[in-house]
Amino acid sequence: VYVIGTGERLAEEYDYHHRRTLGDLLGTLATRSGGRALFVKRASKLKDAYRAIEDELRHQYTLAYYPATGAEPQPRRGEKPGWRTIEVRVSRARARVTARDGYYSK
């Protein structure tokens, strides 16, 4: 999910329960899905945000893997049942990896 937050006070405005800022919530939504959050103060800057997302989407690809039967690790302590963490690393020095933190196995 790619999120664009607009406004000058996203870091100051809190959610309904006053626990997290709106910027934090939008950022979490984006990063947990493998996307990215962009924040602009004025609507006149939306075009730049759209261009950044467009550029990123043009340079992405999908990786997939299938673990051997029975080889999936057990959830770590504190993780939800069925949750499997993943980490994607690359050897290219200036490459940036955007990926979600894990997935639910069946």
Side-chain angles (χ1 to χ4, degrees):
V1 174
Y2 286 82
V3 176
I4 300 175
T6 59
E8 295 187 14
R9 298 180 50 200
L10 288 173
E12 301 165 13
E13 296 281 333
Y14 281 85
D15 65 4
Y16 179 77
H17 300 288
H18 298 280
R19 294 183 190 149
R20 298 177 66 188
T21 66
L22 297 177
D24 287 340
L25 290 171
L26 293 174
T28 299
L29 173 67
T31 55
R32 286 195 178 168
S33 68
R36 193 158 68 104
L38 297 108
F39 300 103
V40 296
K41 292 184 178 183
R42 293 178 195 76
S44 62
K45 298 292 183 182
L46 283 171
K47 190 180 277 189
D48 295 333
Y50 294 138
R51 280 193 189 119
I53 292 170
E54 179 184 34
D55 184 59
E56 192 166 309
L57 291 174
R58 286 178 191 257
H59 295 93
Q60 71 174 216
Y61 54 93
T62 301
L63 298 175
Y65 75 98
Y66 296 93
T69 304
E72 283 197 16
Q74 294 298 313
R76 292 182 186 162
R77 185 176 177 177
E79 288 183 337
K80 297 176 183 178
W83 178 254
R84 304 296 187 260
T85 57
I86 56 174
E87 180 182 5
V88 179
R89 290 183 274 166
V90 294
S91 59
R92 185 182 237 174
R94 294 181 9 194
R96 186 185 72 194
V97 175
T98 304
R100 57 187 175 166
D101 295 332
Y103 65 97
Y104 283 98
S105 65
K106 292 183 180 181

